[in-house]
Amino acid sequence: PRHIAQIKQKHGIIERENYNKPKSENAGQPQCPPEKEKGNYGSIEVFWGDLMKMKRTRLTMEHKGTITIETKRLVLRAFVIEDAPLAFANWESDDNVTEFLRWQTYHSVDAVKEVLAEWVENYADKSFYHWAIVLKEINEPIGTISAVDMDEKTNKVHIGYCIGSKWWHKGYTSEALAAVIRFFFNEVKVVRIESQHDPNNPNSGKVMQKCGLKYEGTLRKADWSNKGIVDACMYGLLAEDFFNA
């Protein structure tokens, strides 16, 4: 994907008339303790205000932006315009790479430069995460990994990735994904990381499994790609499972 949509965080509003309603009409909301209910309206308002403030604080991701991450064989870093020729040569022009993806193969370096220009501009947004996967051995970008979607209310990020076909089956993609997973859980404080793949592209699912994501089911005709409307095999990993592993 070329860019991520702007993320808008919306906070819930507690309506005053709900405070004294029976519990059955406040399903899913914590109830005021008896001692608070006996107090004046102002104390109840403060109680609810403090409670919701704590809830929002707990659910806020700590965005860091596309910082550089280093692994044994890779460097994950922000793209620069100068990456265009190698990006074009190593994966953007590779029909094998785009077979199950949404974007089509590029046919010129100039077209790739336009995409990179958008990404570089988006780096000013700390909630934009899009890394070049650079292989240390040759000091060239060989693919990309990014947060293609996120939900600020649930602290969820959806990760997408691709790598040039000449570097498939060498463990580079899983090495990059594992590093990004650690970053999002440890630094950004996400609650859930998820990804998906076309059932006809099982090797992508093997990368997810290798990095600890669990298969959660297949959504029928729930996605689209260069193959048309397709099924989506969903994988997810929760922070609690990651830290307790």
mmCIF file of all heavy atoms in Angstrom, residues 111-153:
data_model
loop_
_atom_site.group_PDB
_atom_site.id
_atom_site.type_symbol
_atom_site.label_atom_id
_atom_site.label_comp_id
_atom_site.label_asym_id
_atom_site.label_seq_id
_atom_site.Cartn_x
_atom_site.Cartn_y
_atom_site.Cartn_z
ATOM 1 N N ALA A 111 7.978 6.187 -11.628
ATOM 2 C CA ALA A 111 6.734 5.854 -10.937
ATOM 3 C C ALA A 111 7.014 5.465 -9.488
ATOM 4 O O ALA A 111 6.259 5.829 -8.574
ATOM 5 C CB ALA A 111 6.020 4.719 -11.650
ATOM 6 N N VAL A 112 8.099 4.755 -9.272
ATOM 7 C CA VAL A 112 8.487 4.377 -7.908
ATOM 8 C C VAL A 112 8.873 5.615 -7.107
ATOM 9 O O VAL A 112 8.553 5.732 -5.916
ATOM 10 C CB VAL A 112 9.640 3.360 -7.939
ATOM 11 C CG1 VAL A 112 10.124 3.056 -6.517
ATOM 12 C CG2 VAL A 112 9.206 2.080 -8.638
ATOM 13 N N LYS A 113 9.544 6.557 -7.747
ATOM 14 C CA LYS A 113 9.923 7.795 -7.057
ATOM 15 C C LYS A 113 8.693 8.538 -6.528
ATOM 16 O O LYS A 113 8.729 9.120 -5.432
ATOM 17 C CB LYS A 113 10.701 8.708 -8.009
ATOM 18 C CG LYS A 113 12.140 8.296 -8.251
ATOM 19 C CD LYS A 113 12.846 9.300 -9.150
ATOM 20 C CE LYS A 113 14.302 8.925 -9.366
ATOM 21 N NZ LYS A 113 15.008 9.890 -10.258
ATOM 22 N N GLU A 114 7.621 8.527 -7.295
ATOM 23 C CA GLU A 114 6.394 9.199 -6.854
ATOM 24 C C GLU A 114 5.838 8.553 -5.589
ATOM 25 O O GLU A 114 5.386 9.246 -4.669
ATOM 26 C CB GLU A 114 5.344 9.146 -7.970
ATOM 27 C CG GLU A 114 5.703 9.979 -9.189
ATOM 28 C CD GLU A 114 4.621 9.917 -10.259
ATOM 29 O OE1 GLU A 114 3.532 9.339 -9.965
ATOM 30 O OE2 GLU A 114 4.838 10.430 -11.362
ATOM 31 N N VAL A 115 5.895 7.227 -5.543
ATOM 32 C CA VAL A 115 5.409 6.520 -4.361
ATOM 33 C C VAL A 115 6.300 6.829 -3.156
ATOM 34 O O VAL A 115 5.812 7.122 -2.059
ATOM 35 C CB VAL A 115 5.378 4.999 -4.616
ATOM 36 C CG1 VAL A 115 4.959 4.256 -3.355
ATOM 37 C CG2 VAL A 115 4.441 4.672 -5.755
ATOM 38 N N LEU A 116 7.597 6.770 -3.361
ATOM 39 C CA LEU A 116 8.520 7.036 -2.257
ATOM 40 C C LEU A 116 8.371 8.465 -1.750
ATOM 41 O O LEU A 116 8.507 8.722 -0.545
ATOM 42 C CB LEU A 116 9.969 6.784 -2.702
ATOM 43 C CG LEU A 116 10.330 5.344 -3.082
ATOM 44 C CD1 LEU A 116 11.841 5.219 -3.280
ATOM 45 C CD2 LEU A 116 9.846 4.355 -2.042
ATOM 46 N N ALA A 117 8.081 9.392 -2.643
ATOM 47 C CA ALA A 117 7.886 10.784 -2.231
ATOM 48 C C ALA A 117 6.706 10.897 -1.263
ATOM 49 O O ALA A 117 6.754 11.655 -0.286
ATOM 50 C CB ALA A 117 7.665 11.674 -3.452
ATOM 51 N N GLU A 118 5.640 10.143 -1.520
ATOM 52 C CA GLU A 118 4.489 10.132 -0.618
ATOM 53 C C GLU A 118 4.882 9.566 0.737
ATOM 54 O O GLU A 118 4.518 10.109 1.786
ATOM 55 C CB GLU A 118 3.361 9.293 -1.221
ATOM 56 C CG GLU A 118 2.713 9.902 -2.452
ATOM 57 C CD GLU A 118 1.562 9.034 -2.944
ATOM 58 O OE1 GLU A 118 1.037 8.228 -2.135
ATOM 59 O OE2 GLU A 118 1.199 9.151 -4.126
ATOM 60 N N TRP A 119 5.622 8.463 0.729
ATOM 61 C CA TRP A 119 6.031 7.853 1.992
ATOM 62 C C TRP A 119 6.928 8.796 2.786
ATOM 63 O O TRP A 119 6.752 8.946 4.000
ATOM 64 C CB TRP A 119 6.762 6.540 1.726
ATOM 65 C CG TRP A 119 5.904 5.474 1.115
ATOM 66 C CD1 TRP A 119 4.550 5.479 0.995
ATOM 67 C CD2 TRP A 119 6.354 4.248 0.531
ATOM 68 N NE1 TRP A 119 4.114 4.331 0.376
ATOM 69 C CE2 TRP A 119 5.186 3.554 0.081
ATOM 70 C CE3 TRP A 119 7.592 3.655 0.344
ATOM 71 C CZ2 TRP A 119 5.253 2.310 -0.534
ATOM 72 C CZ3 TRP A 119 7.675 2.409 -0.266
ATOM 73 C CH2 TRP A 119 6.518 1.756 -0.711
ATOM 74 N N VAL A 120 7.880 9.407 2.118
ATOM 75 C CA VAL A 120 8.801 10.325 2.804
ATOM 76 C C VAL A 120 8.030 11.476 3.447
ATOM 77 O O VAL A 120 8.313 11.885 4.578
ATOM 78 C CB VAL A 120 9.861 10.858 1.819
ATOM 79 C CG1 VAL A 120 10.665 11.990 2.457
ATOM 80 C CG2 VAL A 120 10.796 9.723 1.380
ATOM 81 N N GLU A 121 7.045 11.993 2.745
ATOM 82 C CA GLU A 121 6.217 13.065 3.299
ATOM 83 C C GLU A 121 5.429 12.592 4.520
ATOM 84 O O GLU A 121 5.283 13.315 5.506
ATOM 85 C CB GLU A 121 5.257 13.583 2.228
ATOM 86 C CG GLU A 121 4.380 14.735 2.689
ATOM 87 C CD GLU A 121 3.466 15.246 1.599
ATOM 88 O OE1 GLU A 121 3.587 14.772 0.453
ATOM 89 O OE2 GLU A 121 2.622 16.123 1.885
ATOM 90 N N ASN A 122 4.954 11.353 4.462
ATOM 91 C CA ASN A 122 4.149 10.817 5.559
ATOM 92 C C ASN A 122 4.953 10.513 6.815
ATOM 93 O O ASN A 122 4.373 10.335 7.898
ATOM 94 C CB ASN A 122 3.420 9.546 5.107
ATOM 95 C CG ASN A 122 2.245 9.834 4.196
ATOM 96 O OD1 ASN A 122 1.641 10.892 4.273
ATOM 97 N ND2 ASN A 122 1.929 8.894 3.320
ATOM 98 N N TYR A 123 6.278 10.453 6.694
ATOM 99 C CA TYR A 123 7.101 10.179 7.872
ATOM 100 C C TYR A 123 6.980 11.264 8.940
ATOM 101 O O TYR A 123 7.337 11.049 10.097
ATOM 102 C CB TYR A 123 8.572 9.991 7.477
ATOM 103 C CG TYR A 123 8.863 8.669 6.798
ATOM 104 C CD1 TYR A 123 9.680 8.612 5.669
ATOM 105 C CD2 TYR A 123 8.324 7.479 7.280
ATOM 106 C CE1 TYR A 123 9.950 7.401 5.031
ATOM 107 C CE2 TYR A 123 8.591 6.268 6.659
ATOM 108 C CZ TYR A 123 9.412 6.232 5.539
ATOM 109 O OH TYR A 123 9.671 5.030 4.916
ATOM 110 N N ALA A 124 6.483 12.422 8.593
ATOM 111 C CA ALA A 124 6.273 13.479 9.582
ATOM 112 C C ALA A 124 5.195 13.076 10.590
ATOM 113 O O ALA A 124 5.142 13.600 11.711
ATOM 114 C CB ALA A 124 5.883 14.784 8.891
ATOM 115 N N ASP A 125 4.335 12.151 10.196
ATOM 116 C CA ASP A 125 3.290 11.630 11.075
ATOM 117 C C ASP A 125 3.872 10.467 11.872
ATOM 118 O O ASP A 125 4.238 9.439 11.306
ATOM 119 C CB ASP A 125 2.101 11.165 10.229
ATOM 120 C CG ASP A 125 0.958 10.604 11.059
ATOM 121 O OD1 ASP A 125 1.100 10.521 12.293
ATOM 122 O OD2 ASP A 125 -0.066 10.249 10.467
ATOM 123 N N LYS A 126 3.943 10.599 13.188
ATOM 124 C CA LYS A 126 4.552 9.575 14.034
ATOM 125 C C LYS A 126 3.750 8.274 14.070
ATOM 126 O O LYS A 126 4.242 7.256 14.557
ATOM 127 C CB LYS A 126 4.733 10.112 15.456
ATOM 128 C CG LYS A 126 5.779 11.213 15.571
ATOM 129 C CD LYS A 126 7.145 10.740 15.101
ATOM 130 C CE LYS A 126 8.193 11.835 15.265
ATOM 131 N NZ LYS A 126 9.529 11.380 14.786
ATOM 132 N N SER A 127 2.519 8.294 13.569
ATOM 133 C CA SER A 127 1.731 7.064 13.524
ATOM 134 C C SER A 127 1.854 6.361 12.166
ATOM 135 O O SER A 127 1.135 5.401 11.895
ATOM 136 C CB SER A 127 0.250 7.358 13.811
ATOM 137 O OG SER A 127 -0.333 8.130 12.781
ATOM 138 N N PHE A 128 2.780 6.834 11.336
ATOM 139 C CA PHE A 128 3.030 6.232 10.027
ATOM 140 C C PHE A 128 4.267 5.346 10.145
ATOM 141 O O PHE A 128 5.352 5.811 10.520
ATOM 142 C CB PHE A 128 3.261 7.315 8.979
ATOM 143 C CG PHE A 128 3.535 6.791 7.594
ATOM 144 C CD1 PHE A 128 2.516 6.279 6.809
ATOM 145 C CD2 PHE A 128 4.824 6.813 7.065
ATOM 146 C CE1 PHE A 128 2.762 5.796 5.531
ATOM 147 C CE2 PHE A 128 5.087 6.338 5.789
ATOM 148 C CZ PHE A 128 4.055 5.821 5.026
ATOM 149 N N TYR A 129 4.087 4.060 9.833
ATOM 150 C CA TYR A 129 5.185 3.095 9.967
ATOM 151 C C TYR A 129 5.382 2.364 8.645
ATOM 152 O O TYR A 129 4.537 1.559 8.238
ATOM 153 C CB TYR A 129 4.867 2.091 11.072
ATOM 154 C CG TYR A 129 4.687 2.706 12.431
ATOM 155 C CD1 TYR A 129 3.412 3.006 12.921
ATOM 156 C CD2 TYR A 129 5.782 3.010 13.229
ATOM 157 C CE1 TYR A 129 3.239 3.576 14.168
ATOM 158 C CE2 TYR A 129 5.626 3.581 14.482
ATOM 159 C CZ TYR A 129 4.351 3.867 14.945
ATOM 160 O OH TYR A 129 4.197 4.434 16.193
ATOM 161 N N HIS A 130 6.502 2.660 7.981
ATOM 162 C CA HIS A 130 6.772 2.021 6.688
ATOM 163 C C HIS A 130 8.291 1.902 6.517
ATOM 164 O O HIS A 130 8.976 2.895 6.271
ATOM 165 C CB HIS A 130 6.170 2.850 5.556
ATOM 166 C CG HIS A 130 5.882 2.048 4.339
ATOM 167 N ND1 HIS A 130 4.643 1.961 3.751
ATOM 168 C CD2 HIS A 130 6.692 1.259 3.582
ATOM 169 C CE1 HIS A 130 4.700 1.174 2.698
ATOM 170 N NE2 HIS A 130 5.934 0.738 2.583
ATOM 171 N N TRP A 131 8.779 0.676 6.675
ATOM 172 C CA TRP A 131 10.223 0.444 6.649
ATOM 173 C C TRP A 131 10.705 -0.158 5.331
ATOM 174 O O TRP A 131 10.025 -0.994 4.723
ATOM 175 C CB TRP A 131 10.609 -0.537 7.751
ATOM 176 C CG TRP A 131 10.514 -0.039 9.144
ATOM 177 C CD1 TRP A 131 11.477 0.626 9.862
ATOM 178 C CD2 TRP A 131 9.402 -0.197 10.046
ATOM 179 N NE1 TRP A 131 11.033 0.896 11.136
ATOM 180 C CE2 TRP A 131 9.768 0.413 11.277
ATOM 181 C CE3 TRP A 131 8.142 -0.772 9.922
ATOM 182 C CZ2 TRP A 131 8.906 0.441 12.383
ATOM 183 C CZ3 TRP A 131 7.283 -0.738 11.002
ATOM 184 C CH2 TRP A 131 7.659 -0.140 12.221
ATOM 185 N N ALA A 132 11.904 0.227 4.932
ATOM 186 C CA ALA A 132 12.637 -0.486 3.896
ATOM 187 C C ALA A 132 13.377 -1.627 4.579
ATOM 188 O O ALA A 132 13.977 -1.433 5.646
ATOM 189 C CB ALA A 132 13.635 0.444 3.202
ATOM 190 N N ILE A 133 13.320 -2.814 3.998
ATOM 191 C CA ILE A 133 14.071 -3.956 4.518
ATOM 192 C C ILE A 133 15.414 -3.987 3.795
ATOM 193 O O ILE A 133 15.488 -4.319 2.610
ATOM 194 C CB ILE A 133 13.313 -5.276 4.285
ATOM 195 C CG1 ILE A 133 11.931 -5.222 4.946
ATOM 196 C CG2 ILE A 133 14.118 -6.455 4.808
ATOM 197 C CD1 ILE A 133 11.068 -6.436 4.632
ATOM 198 N N VAL A 134 16.460 -3.607 4.486
ATOM 199 C CA VAL A 134 17.794 -3.512 3.875
ATOM 200 C C VAL A 134 18.630 -4.717 4.303
ATOM 201 O O VAL A 134 18.793 -4.985 5.505
ATOM 202 C CB VAL A 134 18.507 -2.213 4.300
ATOM 203 C CG1 VAL A 134 19.916 -2.152 3.703
ATOM 204 C CG2 VAL A 134 17.684 -1.003 3.859
ATOM 205 N N LEU A 135 19.155 -5.442 3.330
ATOM 206 C CA LEU A 135 20.008 -6.589 3.597
ATOM 207 C C LEU A 135 21.440 -6.097 3.816
ATOM 208 O O LEU A 135 22.043 -5.495 2.922
ATOM 209 C CB LEU A 135 19.949 -7.571 2.424
ATOM 210 C CG LEU A 135 20.779 -8.850 2.539
ATOM 211 C CD1 LEU A 135 20.366 -9.661 3.762
ATOM 212 C CD2 LEU A 135 20.632 -9.688 1.268
ATOM 213 N N LYS A 136 21.969 -6.335 5.005
ATOM 214 C CA LYS A 136 23.303 -5.827 5.346
ATOM 215 C C LYS A 136 24.370 -6.329 4.384
ATOM 216 O O LYS A 136 25.303 -5.595 4.030
ATOM 217 C CB LYS A 136 23.671 -6.251 6.772
ATOM 218 C CG LYS A 136 22.890 -5.585 7.875
ATOM 219 C CD LYS A 136 23.370 -6.089 9.231
ATOM 220 C CE LYS A 136 22.634 -5.443 10.377
ATOM 221 N NZ LYS A 136 23.097 -5.946 11.694
ATOM 222 N N GLU A 137 24.248 -7.575 3.970
ATOM 223 C CA GLU A 137 25.264 -8.214 3.126
ATOM 224 C C GLU A 137 25.542 -7.438 1.852
ATOM 225 O O GLU A 137 26.687 -7.373 1.382
ATOM 226 C CB GLU A 137 24.810 -9.634 2.795
ATOM 227 C CG GLU A 137 25.802 -10.434 1.975
ATOM 228 C CD GLU A 137 25.287 -11.828 1.670
ATOM 229 O OE1 GLU A 137 24.182 -12.175 2.151
ATOM 230 O OE2 GLU A 137 25.976 -12.564 0.936
ATOM 231 N N ILE A 138 24.504 -6.819 1.275
ATOM 232 C CA ILE A 138 24.668 -6.075 0.028
ATOM 233 C C ILE A 138 24.339 -4.593 0.189
ATOM 234 O O ILE A 138 24.499 -3.819 -0.749
ATOM 235 C CB ILE A 138 23.808 -6.683 -1.094
ATOM 236 C CG1 ILE A 138 22.324 -6.674 -0.716
ATOM 237 C CG2 ILE A 138 24.274 -8.093 -1.422
ATOM 238 C CD1 ILE A 138 21.398 -7.160 -1.808
ATOM 239 N N ASN A 139 23.840 -4.227 1.370
ATOM 240 C CA ASN A 139 23.461 -2.840 1.666
ATOM 241 C C ASN A 139 22.464 -2.288 0.641
ATOM 242 O O ASN A 139 22.598 -1.171 0.150
ATOM 243 C CB ASN A 139 24.705 -1.937 1.729
ATOM 244 C CG ASN A 139 24.388 -0.584 2.348
ATOM 245 O OD1 ASN A 139 23.502 -0.469 3.194
ATOM 246 N ND2 ASN A 139 25.094 0.458 1.915
ATOM 247 N N GLU A 140 21.461 -3.108 0.341
ATOM 248 C CA GLU A 140 20.404 -2.707 -0.585
ATOM 249 C C GLU A 140 19.043 -3.017 0.018
ATOM 250 O O GLU A 140 18.892 -4.040 0.702
ATOM 251 C CB GLU A 140 20.525 -3.452 -1.922
ATOM 252 C CG GLU A 140 21.735 -3.103 -2.745
ATOM 253 C CD GLU A 140 21.740 -3.832 -4.081
ATOM 254 O OE1 GLU A 140 20.712 -4.488 -4.413
ATOM 255 O OE2 GLU A 140 22.757 -3.757 -4.797
ATOM 256 N N PRO A 141 18.041 -2.172 -0.250
ATOM 257 C CA PRO A 141 16.676 -2.523 0.150
ATOM 258 C C PRO A 141 16.167 -3.655 -0.725
ATOM 259 O O PRO A 141 16.308 -3.615 -1.951
ATOM 260 C CB PRO A 141 15.892 -1.232 -0.065
ATOM 261 C CG PRO A 141 16.658 -0.501 -1.129
ATOM 262 C CD PRO A 141 18.097 -0.846 -0.902
ATOM 263 N N ILE A 142 15.576 -4.677 -0.082
ATOM 264 C CA ILE A 142 15.097 -5.841 -0.835
ATOM 265 C C ILE A 142 13.587 -6.038 -0.655
ATOM 266 O O ILE A 142 13.016 -6.986 -1.209
ATOM 267 C CB ILE A 142 15.832 -7.122 -0.416
ATOM 268 C CG1 ILE A 142 15.628 -7.400 1.081
ATOM 269 C CG2 ILE A 142 17.312 -7.017 -0.756
ATOM 270 C CD1 ILE A 142 16.181 -8.755 1.534
ATOM 271 N N GLY A 143 12.950 -5.151 0.112
ATOM 272 C CA GLY A 143 11.519 -5.276 0.325
ATOM 273 C C GLY A 143 11.030 -4.213 1.285
ATOM 274 O O GLY A 143 11.749 -3.256 1.613
ATOM 275 N N THR A 144 9.813 -4.395 1.758
ATOM 276 C CA THR A 144 9.206 -3.401 2.635
ATOM 277 C C THR A 144 8.283 -4.079 3.637
ATOM 278 O O THR A 144 7.708 -5.135 3.360
ATOM 279 C CB THR A 144 8.409 -2.369 1.803
ATOM 280 O OG1 THR A 144 7.803 -1.423 2.684
ATOM 281 C CG2 THR A 144 7.335 -3.028 0.979
ATOM 282 N N ILE A 145 8.143 -3.465 4.806
ATOM 283 C CA ILE A 145 7.219 -3.951 5.830
ATOM 284 C C ILE A 145 6.601 -2.735 6.496
ATOM 285 O O ILE A 145 7.293 -1.743 6.757
ATOM 286 C CB ILE A 145 7.927 -4.868 6.850
ATOM 287 C CG1 ILE A 145 6.911 -5.457 7.834
ATOM 288 C CG2 ILE A 145 9.047 -4.148 7.581
ATOM 289 C CD1 ILE A 145 7.486 -6.609 8.653
ATOM 290 N N SER A 146 5.297 -2.779 6.747
ATOM 291 C CA SER A 146 4.619 -1.579 7.230
ATOM 292 C C SER A 146 3.369 -1.903 8.027
ATOM 293 O O SER A 146 2.851 -3.026 7.977
ATOM 294 C CB SER A 146 4.245 -0.684 6.037
ATOM 295 O OG SER A 146 3.345 -1.374 5.180
ATOM 296 N N ALA A 147 2.886 -0.906 8.753
ATOM 297 C CA ALA A 147 1.567 -0.975 9.386
ATOM 298 C C ALA A 147 0.578 -0.436 8.358
ATOM 299 O O ALA A 147 0.504 0.770 8.144
ATOM 300 C CB ALA A 147 1.538 -0.151 10.662
ATOM 301 N N VAL A 148 -0.143 -1.329 7.722
ATOM 302 C CA VAL A 148 -1.040 -0.910 6.640
ATOM 303 C C VAL A 148 -2.376 -0.403 7.166
ATOM 304 O O VAL A 148 -3.136 0.237 6.438
ATOM 305 C CB VAL A 148 -1.272 -2.063 5.638
ATOM 306 C CG1 VAL A 148 0.037 -2.474 4.992
ATOM 307 C CG2 VAL A 148 -1.930 -3.260 6.314
ATOM 308 N N ASP A 149 -2.661 -0.704 8.425
ATOM 309 C CA ASP A 149 -3.888 -0.213 9.035
ATOM 310 C C ASP A 149 -3.716 -0.238 10.543
ATOM 311 O O ASP A 149 -2.878 -0.999 11.073
ATOM 312 C CB ASP A 149 -5.081 -1.087 8.623
ATOM 313 C CG ASP A 149 -6.424 -0.446 8.952
ATOM 314 O OD1 ASP A 149 -6.436 0.765 9.247
ATOM 315 O OD2 ASP A 149 -7.447 -1.151 8.916
ATOM 316 N N MET A 150 -4.482 0.588 11.247
ATOM 317 C CA MET A 150 -4.451 0.564 12.702
ATOM 318 C C MET A 150 -5.759 1.097 13.261
ATOM 319 O O MET A 150 -6.487 1.833 12.592
ATOM 320 C CB MET A 150 -3.262 1.346 13.255
ATOM 321 C CG MET A 150 -3.292 2.846 13.047
ATOM 322 S SD MET A 150 -1.911 3.681 13.894
ATOM 323 C CE MET A 150 -0.493 2.907 13.118
ATOM 324 N N ASP A 151 -6.024 0.708 14.503
ATOM 325 C CA ASP A 151 -7.220 1.155 15.206
ATOM 326 C C ASP A 151 -6.782 1.696 16.557
ATOM 327 O O ASP A 151 -6.346 0.942 17.426
ATOM 328 C CB ASP A 151 -8.196 -0.015 15.375
ATOM 329 C CG ASP A 151 -9.525 0.402 15.979
ATOM 330 O OD1 ASP A 151 -9.575 1.461 16.635
ATOM 331 O OD2 ASP A 151 -10.516 -0.335 15.818
ATOM 332 N N GLU A 152 -6.888 3.003 16.747
ATOM 333 C CA GLU A 152 -6.440 3.636 17.980
ATOM 334 C C GLU A 152 -7.316 3.252 19.176
ATOM 335 O O GLU A 152 -6.860 3.289 20.307
ATOM 336 C CB GLU A 152 -6.450 5.159 17.809
ATOM 337 C CG GLU A 152 -5.452 5.696 16.801
ATOM 338 C CD GLU A 152 -4.049 5.830 17.379
ATOM 339 O OE1 GLU A 152 -3.858 5.500 18.562
ATOM 340 O OE2 GLU A 152 -3.154 6.266 16.631
ATOM 341 N N LYS A 153 -8.572 2.913 18.942
ATOM 342 C CA LYS A 153 -9.461 2.581 20.050
ATOM 343 C C LYS A 153 -9.135 1.233 20.672
ATOM 344 O O LYS A 153 -9.361 1.011 21.860
ATOM 345 C CB LYS A 153 -10.919 2.603 19.580
ATOM 346 C CG LYS A 153 -11.471 3.997 19.348
ATOM 347 C CD LYS A 153 -12.964 3.944 19.062
ATOM 348 C CE LYS A 153 -13.538 5.343 18.946
ATOM 349 N NZ LYS A 153 -15.002 5.308 18.676
#
